[in-house]
Amino acid sequence: MLDRIAEAQREGLLGEVEGLEISLAGAEEKLAQLDSALKPSVIHLGLPTFGQIAGRSSTL
């Protein structure tokens, strides 16, 4: 994409440069959104901890 922008600048195609820059900015924004969506996060399932389980006694 950067090569196409440079080529359009060399050729003096200002409208093409502007369109390519807008497309590039949109693609970069979309990649940033995907990156943030893929970041791992901790999900608390509400399961008891080992300490809570081991602290219980059996009444046999």
Side-chain angles (χ1 to χ4, degrees), residues 21-36:
E21 287 175 342
I22 291 170
S23 295
L24 178 59
E28 289 173 340
E29 182 179 340
K30 186 64 175 180
L31 287 172
Q33 289 174 358
L34 290 171
D35 285 342
S36 67

Side-chain angles (χ1 to χ4, degrees), residues 2-60:
L2 295 175
D3 290 339
R4 298 232 7 234
I5 292 172
E7 180 183 358
Q9 287 173 333
R10 280 193 307 273
E11 300 293 326
L13 304 171
L14 300 180
E16 182 77 10
V17 170
E18 184 178 354
L20 291 170
E21 287 175 342
I22 291 170
S23 295
L24 178 59
E28 289 173 340
E29 182 179 340
K30 186 64 175 180
L31 287 172
Q33 289 174 358
L34 290 171
D35 285 342
S36 67
L38 294 176
K39 288 184 182 175
S41 61
V42 176
I43 299 173
H44 182 66
L45 298 176
L47 299 174
T49 64
F50 179 75
Q52 292 170 327
I53 295 170
R56 296 184 182 170
S57 62
S58 173
T59 56
L60 292 174

